[in-house]
Amino acid sequence: MTTLITGGSKCRKSRFAEDFLANYRGRKIYIATMQPFGDEAKITIQKHLRHRSGKGFETIEKYTDIHELKLPENSAVLLECVGNLCANEMFFSKEIFMPSKKIINGIRSISEQVSELVIVTNQVGSDGIRYAEGTAAYIAEMGRINSGISQFADNVIECVYGIPIVIKGELPC
């Protein structure tokens, strides 16, 4: 089962994603994509570590090239988050600037390896503001990635003010 969770900044989508896998009885893996650049990133990473403490997650830090991951068949994976992964591939990787196909294929590969995959992404580009070229390219790539994942995801859920709204599929029981 593959579930895509989207939403705006600080809408509790990460906490919802962790809770989504709370009752999973097996190996749980958290793929962290945020590179610890600067104090704000370090604070965010510490907050996420505290929130998932005691929930049974193993952490894999993988900032780019998620297609390289080989994961246990009967595991549950939480990928946090596509926005960071896209930025890492676009702005810090030497090999690719428009990474949508690479990221979509990597996520599809993970979904085919594991029992449960929960993906956290960001809702960007709906504010109507015109951005500089690099930011506009990032927003366009995120749109392609989110659309591509939603095509094969079983569930697509948007968090709005902490409230999960089902776009495709259903909430867990």
Side-chain angles (χ1 to χ4, degrees):
M1 174 92 51
T2 299
T3 300
L4 178 65
I5 300 172
T6 188
S9 178
K10 310 296 184 214
C11 69
R12 300 179 61 88
K13 61 188 175 284
S14 298
R15 190 168 289 191
F16 177 74
E18 292 167 11
D19 292 346
F20 198 94
L21 294 176
N23 295 323
Y24 187 80
R25 301 291 170 232
R27 192 168 174 190
K28 293 191 281 190
I29 299 167
Y30 184 102
I31 301 172
T33 64
M34 179 180 270
Q35 295 190 53
F37 292 133
D39 291 338
E40 187 175 333
K42 290 175 185 173
I43 290 168
T44 300
I45 290 168
Q46 288 305 311
K47 180 185 83 171
H48 282 246
L49 285 168
R50 279 192 312 277
H51 285 166
R52 71 177 182 271
S53 177
K55 294 181 181 179
F57 284 100
E58 301 170 38
T59 300
I60 297 173
E61 294 181 12
K62 189 71 172 154
Y63 309 127
T64 60
D65 302 315
I66 61 167
H67 63 280
E68 296 173 346
L69 290 170
K70 301 297 180 220
L71 299 159
E73 185 176 309
N74 294 319
S75 61
V77 170
L78 195 164
L79 173 64
E80 170 84 37
C81 100
V82 173
N84 292 323
L85 181 63
C86 181
N88 295 340
E89 292 284 1
M90 286 182 74
F91 304 116
F92 302 110
S93 177
K94 301 239 189 292
E95 68 179 69
I96 194 163
F97 183 70
M98 300 300 196
S100 54
K101 288 181 184 175
K102 178 182 178 182
I103 291 172
I104 293 166
N105 290 337
I107 291 172
R108 185 186 307 271
S109 172
I110 292 170
S111 75
E112 292 168 353
Q113 294 177 54
V114 302
S115 298
E116 291 279 344
L117 173 60
V118 176
I119 306 145
V120 176
T121 191
N122 293 312
Q123 180 63 35
V124 297
S126 59
D127 58 11
I129 297 172
R130 292 187 63 130
Y131 289 96
E133 184 178 343
T135 303
Y138 169 81
I139 290 169
E141 282 299 282
M142 284 296 296
R144 283 188 276 279
I145 293 165
N146 290 339
S147 178
I149 297 168
S150 70
Q151 297 302 306
F152 66 86
D154 301 293
N155 304 307
V156 178
I157 300 166
E158 180 178 9
C159 283
V160 179
Y161 307 118
I163 301 167
I165 299 171
V166 177
I167 296 170
K168 176 183 177 183
E170 58 190 39
L171 290 172
C173 298

